[in-house]
Amino acid sequence: MILIANSEAWPGFQTTVDRLRAGERGPDPLVAGISCVEREVTVRSVGYGGWPNMLGEMEFDAGVMDGTTRQVGAVGALRDVVPASAVALQVMRRLPHVLLTGDGARRFALECGFAAEPTLLEDSRRVWWERLEKELPPADLAAFPDIPLAPLSRAITDPERVRDTTVFLGQDSGGGLHAATSTSGWAWKYPGRLGDSPIAGAGFYADSRFGAAACTHTGEMTVRCGTARSIVLALQLGRTLREAVDLAVADLATLDLGFLAGVVIHALDAQGNHEVVSFRCGPAIRYWYWDPSLTAPEERVARTV
Ligand code: ASP
């Protein structure tokens, strides 16, 4: 058994550890943990604590993959419902589909018994509006939101670096490798924008035979490179975990157009090795690690490339 997650996973990491220790298999223990993170208002990148899109609306993205069956469930631009990862798990369990977005995702969540509720914190609403006040000329501000939004997307993309995704990757007691992700995406994103977190193959992927990977930060880049899938495929082709991750990093480094910034890659292989690599992310990136040889989870520092 093994579990890794990004640094903001602290509200739910122990929940997942406890469920793995109890012998629970499949992606459910990961979703139990990530749901705690989504409910924690002090985690400012996911669930209630996340940041809204340009219109001041919360839109959640989440993905789940069972690496043994390679079933996937995901939701994108889900409104009014927390935890999005639990809705993603129900997409995997109840539908012949892998990804629902927007109104369809919300409708499905309510059908499953999730409650619709306000998800925009007053503090997030205030910060969102203050940013618009700073960016928009008075005439546009007065007309808002009936103005073209596209010009704003360059100006306010990630204005305060208030982005992140919660990712959990685990190997259960049966050797099954699984992945779960959840995020509110970038602050002030264009409405309807999906990052990598609900996109299997980009923001997450798991195959119990070989490995699992999940990414945080600039989702546009990992969608373009198919980063998570590329790592698991490299493992399948016989590369070591470090080689597989370094190949993915080298591929990201060849991008030279579009919005380019940092990416953090989390990865496991079927032999119980792990890698967390921070690519052009600046200050040290931390992550959580646990395996049964440890009495308690450890917070460790990612390799920087
Ligand atoms: N990867 C997420 C996205 O692009 C955000 C993040 O992890 O910072 O939506």
Side-chain angles (χ1 to χ4, degrees), residues 56-116:
E57 300 161 340
M58 301 295 286
E59 290 184 332
F60 302 114
D61 301 339
V64 174
M65 186 160 185
D66 180 322
T68 302
T69 61
R70 278 183 287 154
Q71 285 176 294
V72 166
V75 290
L78 170 68
R79 307 244 304 260
D80 305 331
V81 179
V82 171
S85 58
V87 182
L89 184 64
Q90 293 308 316
V91 170
M92 188 183 99
R93 291 266 153 77
R94 298 190 194 204
L95 292 176
H97 308 308
V98 297
L99 172 61
L100 292 183
T101 61
D103 290 345
R106 183 181 186 280
R107 178 192 171 107
F108 172 73
L110 301 189
E111 277 181 30
C112 293
F114 291 89

Side-chain angles (χ1 to χ4, degrees), residues 11-84:
F13 198 79
Q14 188 63 46
T15 297
T16 301
V17 168
D18 292 343
R19 291 177 69 152
L20 288 174
R21 266 193 203 281
E24 193 174 349
R25 296 183 182 184
D28 302 60
L30 307 186
V31 173
I34 214 165
S35 295
C36 299
V37 184
E38 293 185 61
R39 292 193 185 97
E40 173 56 58
V41 294
T42 63
V43 174
R44 300 309 309 260
S45 57
V46 56
Y48 295 122
W51 297 96
N53 66 16
M54 275 182 194
L55 295 175
E57 300 161 340
M58 301 295 286
E59 290 184 332
F60 302 114
D61 301 339
V64 174
M65 186 160 185
D66 180 322
T68 302
T69 61
R70 278 183 287 154
Q71 285 176 294
V72 166
V75 290
L78 170 68
R79 307 244 304 260
D80 305 331
V81 179
V82 171

Side-chain angles (χ1 to χ4, degrees), residues 54 125-142 144 152 156 188:
M54 275 182 194
R125 201 203 64 76
R126 179 185 55 74
V127 174
W128 161 75
W129 185 250
E130 283 174 3
R131 183 72 198 191
L132 289 190
E133 284 180 324
K134 211 164 133 196
E135 289 294 335
L136 290 174
D140 282 357
L141 203 58
F144 188 85
L152 265 180
I156 65 176
W188 294 266

Side-chain angles (χ1 to χ4, degrees), residues 25-296:
R25 296 183 182 184
D28 302 60
L30 307 186
V31 173
I34 214 165
S35 295
C36 299
V37 184
E38 293 185 61
R39 292 193 185 97
E40 173 56 58
V41 294
T42 63
V43 174
R44 300 309 309 260
S45 57
V46 56
Y48 295 122
W51 297 96
N53 66 16
M54 275 182 194
L55 295 175
E57 300 161 340
M58 301 295 286
E59 290 184 332
F60 302 114
D61 301 339
V64 174
M65 186 160 185
D66 180 322
T68 302
T69 61
R70 278 183 287 154
Q71 285 176 294
V72 166
V75 290
L78 170 68
R79 307 244 304 260
D80 305 331
V81 179
V82 171
S85 58
V87 182
L89 184 64
Q90 293 308 316
V91 170
M92 188 183 99
R93 291 266 153 77
R94 298 190 194 204
L95 292 176
H97 308 308
V98 297
L99 172 61
L100 292 183
T101 61
D103 290 345
R106 183 181 186 280
R107 178 192 171 107
F108 172 73
L110 301 189
E111 277 181 30
C112 293
F114 291 89
E117 56 179 327
T119 54
L120 180 65
L121 298 183
E122 182 47 36
D123 177 59
S124 308
R125 201 203 64 76
R126 179 185 55 74
V127 174
W128 161 75
W129 185 250
E130 283 174 3
R131 183 72 198 191
L132 289 190
E133 284 180 324
K134 211 164 133 196
E135 289 294 335
L136 290 174
D140 282 357
L141 203 58
F144 188 85
D146 298 322
I147 59 169
L149 295 178
L152 265 180
S153 66
R154 283 279 157 188
I156 65 176
T157 290
D158 191 25
E160 298 175 349
R161 302 214 153 266
V162 283
R163 59 181 177 186
D164 212 349
T165 299
T166 294
V167 299
F168 278 53
L169 293 178
Q171 185 177 44
D172 64 29
S173 58
L177 287 162
H178 312 291
T181 66
S182 183
T183 185
S184 59
W186 285 17
W188 294 266
K189 63 190 173 186
Y190 199 99
R193 175 264 186 190
L194 304 185
D196 58 339
S197 307
I199 308 297
F204 65 101
Y205 197 79
D207 184 329
S208 300
R209 298 171 298 172
F210 307 112
C215 307
T216 66
H217 288 61
T218 315
E220 279 71 4
M221 293 170 68
T222 59
V223 169
R224 291 164 66 194
C225 290
T227 300
R229 178 68 179 121
S230 75
I231 291 166
V232 177
L233 184 61
L235 291 170
Q236 182 170 1
L237 295 174
R239 303 299 184 111
T240 65
L241 184 63
R242 177 156 293 195
E243 288 170 349
V245 169
D246 286 349
L247 273 172
V249 166
D251 199 31
L252 288 166
T254 62
L255 298 177
D256 59 5
L257 286 176
F259 185 79
L260 305 177
V263 168
V264 183
I265 294 173
H266 306 70
L268 298 177
D269 69 16
Q271 290 70 45
N273 301 302
H274 80 283
E275 284 274 332
V276 180
V277 171
S278 152
F279 168 66
R280 295 184 189 159
C281 281
I285 296 285
R286 296 178 176 275
Y287 66 97
W288 289 99
Y289 175 85
W290 173 83
D291 70 44
S293 71
L294 301 174
T295 46

